[in-house]
Amino acid sequence: MLAWTLLLGPTGNGRKGTGTAAVSRFLEWSDPYYWNERKTNSLSTGEGLIFAVRDGLSAGDIESEGHKITPGVEDKRLFVLSSEFAGVMSKTGGGTLGTVLRDAWDGKKTLKILTKESETATGSHIAVLGHVTPEEFGAKLKLSDMDGGTYNRFLPLYVYRSKAVPFPERNKEWEKKSKELGDKLKASLDRAKNVEEITLNSHAKKFWIERLYGELTDVDEGAAKILQSFTNRRAPYALRVAALYALMNGRSQINKKDLESAKALIDYAYASAEFVTKDFSPLGARGSRARTWDQDKSALTDLLTDAGEAGVTRTEVIKFLGSGRRSKDEIDVLLEDVGAQERRVRVPPATKHRQMIYLPKQESK
């Protein structure tokens, strides 16, 4: 039962790492082996992810002459904790990582890439928690990833420090309560291992059919396209979260209260996505005058081509794209994508140098 979370918040004040560290105590108490041995901070390629939960070789493979013998992994669970998720986003576009992530979230029995050296993983259970700032997320977001459904498999949760505590202290009572919660989580995990199927009881099923399903699948036509794409898995996520609540309480049936609690979390995730995407939109911003990311690239290329070697200032670029439409990080990525460069020049009668952005001449082949 997979629920992947993406914590979005400002650097320093977001306290993404602080919050994760506090919760990690419960996981370490409830399953020390999983937390210490089946956790990784690395997420670079699809092949690498599969290798971490690989099956290993069959007897026939081992006996074959010259074959590299790779032992398999017995525990197919893996927790990926990526505190620099922007780096992961750079690798999900043209490589294999995005495809394997989507297959893993979908619960496919076998994970495999059709390459000569690729391993195979069956029965894996991969969980992912990412940390990223809204600015980094917007700058790294690729059209293909959002359309392909990589990021709507994550629950986006905006986090922020609620108050400043110069010297936070954890007293004995906190330690005692934390240990109690860890023990309860361990008991819930032990019970959940024996559950083969999770169903909805009659009240929950009625509530889901008559109310929740319609609310969670309804598309807000007035919302930005990126927000629609980012949150269009609300319905399956509500069921997953509700199932986790049921298992945490030692039940194999989802009740109405589980669904209501899950809906509250999904609503917060939607509000978080709406908040963090309001200033960027690679799939097209609100309004009839908005341009897509590719259209901005094309228009920026034309602007710099017309400017020639003289180039334009960053202020001119911002005004051209539309003040406030793109963040600084997004503009940096756009300039990199079109191949722009910068140089310091002095334009008379001004005495100070200015940074000018230009497109270098393409050498003829």
Side-chain angles (χ1 to χ4, degrees):
M1 194 59 59
L2 298 174
W4 295 357
T5 307
L6 194 59
L7 299 185
L8 299 115
T11 299
N13 287 333
R15 293 300 185 262
K16 301 180 288 295
T18 303
T20 300
V23 175
S24 68
R25 296 287 295 275
F26 306 134
L27 290 173
E28 188 171 9
W29 277 327
S30 61
D31 193 338
Y33 178 80
Y34 174 70
W35 184 252
N36 294 311
E37 304 297 332
R38 300 306 299 153
K39 176 167 63 77
T40 180
N41 299 321
S42 175
L43 194 61
S44 56
T45 66
E47 291 86 350
L49 185 57
I50 292 174
F51 186 80
V53 289
R54 65 193 179 277
D55 291 341
L57 298 174
S58 66
D61 290 330
I62 293 175
E63 292 173 1
S64 62
E65 187 176 349
H67 201 296
K68 182 181 178 181
I69 299 176
T70 305
V73 175
E74 292 185 8
D75 192 334
K76 295 305 186 75
R77 301 173 302 165
L78 184 69
F79 178 39
V80 181
L81 175 56
S82 176
S83 59
E84 299 294 338
F85 195 75
V88 175
M89 295 179 70
S90 301
K91 302 165 185 173
T92 58
T96 57
L97 182 58
T99 300
V100 175
L101 281 174
R102 292 191 290 270
D103 287 347
W105 188 91
D106 291 344
K108 288 192 176 181
K109 184 178 180 180
T110 301
L111 300 180
K112 183 173 177 61
I113 299 172
L114 297 179
T115 59
K116 184 178 180 181
E117 300 299 326
S118 176
E119 302 283 346
T120 299
T122 56
S124 61
H125 189 94
I126 300 170
V128 184
L129 170 62
H131 296 176
V132 67
T133 68
E135 294 77 16
E136 289 173 329
F137 184 78
K140 296 289 185 180
L141 188 63
K142 293 183 175 66
L143 180 70
S144 59
D145 290 326
M146 190 57 81
D147 279 351
T150 299
Y151 299 127
N152 60 29
R153 284 169 168 80
F154 287 83
L155 277 180
L157 300 177
Y158 186 78
V159 294
Y160 194 84
R161 182 179 64 186
S162 61
K163 56 184 177 182
V165 181
F167 297 104
E169 296 180 358
R170 294 175 178 174
N171 55 33
K172 291 183 179 179
E173 184 64 20
W174 185 91
E175 292 288 346
K176 179 182 176 182
K177 290 293 184 182
S178 298
K179 184 63 167 62
E180 289 177 359
L181 288 173
D183 290 340
K184 288 183 179 180
L185 178 58
K186 183 181 187 306
S188 296
L189 292 173
D190 290 339
R191 288 192 299 265
K193 292 175 183 177
N194 299 317
V195 176
E196 295 183 0
E197 183 180 13
I198 303 173
T199 59
L200 282 74
N201 67 22
S202 57
H203 296 293
K205 189 176 294 186
K206 185 174 185 292
F207 182 58
W208 176 259
I209 294 173
E210 295 182 356
R211 179 179 168 183
L212 279 196
Y213 183 74
E215 287 186 23
L216 294 172
T217 55
D218 184 44
V219 177
D220 182 2
E221 298 297 342
K225 179 66 181 302
I226 187 173
L227 179 59
Q228 295 177 23
S229 298
F230 200 8
T231 59
N232 64 8
R233 292 184 190 272
R234 289 180 294 163
Y237 244 125
L239 288 175
R240 289 189 180 208
V241 173
L244 290 173
Y245 287 156
L247 290 172
M248 289 284 291
N249 287 282
R251 291 180 278 104
S252 61
Q253 273 203 330
I254 298 171
N255 62 28
K256 182 181 177 183
K257 187 172 290 188
D258 295 327
L259 287 174
E260 289 174 334
S261 300
K263 173 65 161 49
L265 179 62
I266 300 304
D267 285 347
Y268 183 75
Y270 184 89
S272 297
E274 188 174 32
F275 178 71
V276 301
T277 61
K278 68 181 186 300
D279 293 328
F280 63 87
S281 183
L283 297 183
R286 279 184 211 267
S288 58
R289 295 173 60 85
R291 290 191 300 266
T292 66
W293 183 267
D294 286 341
Q295 288 172 335
D296 271 348
K297 284 175 57 178
S298 177
L300 185 57
T301 299
D302 291 341
L303 173 70
L304 295 174
T305 300
D306 292 340
E309 293 184 357
V312 296
T313 64
R314 179 172 285 268
T315 300
E316 290 174 314
V317 170
I318 294 172
K319 289 182 178 179
F320 175 77
L321 293 174
S323 297
R325 279 192 62 244
R326 297 288 181 189
S327 69
K328 178 183 179 300
D329 289 338
E330 285 183 279
I331 292 174
D332 287 342
V333 174
L334 276 169
L335 291 171
E336 180 181 350
D337 283 353
V338 302
Q341 295 184 12
E342 292 189 54
R343 63 184 169 203
R344 295 177 73 246
V345 300
R346 187 174 70 83
V347 181
T351 56
K352 293 183 178 181
H353 286 78
R354 291 192 297 177
Q355 289 291 123
M356 303 300 292
I357 300 169
Y358 69 103
L359 279 181
K361 284 185 176 181
Q362 299 293 325
E363 296 182 1
S364 58
K365 296 182 180 180

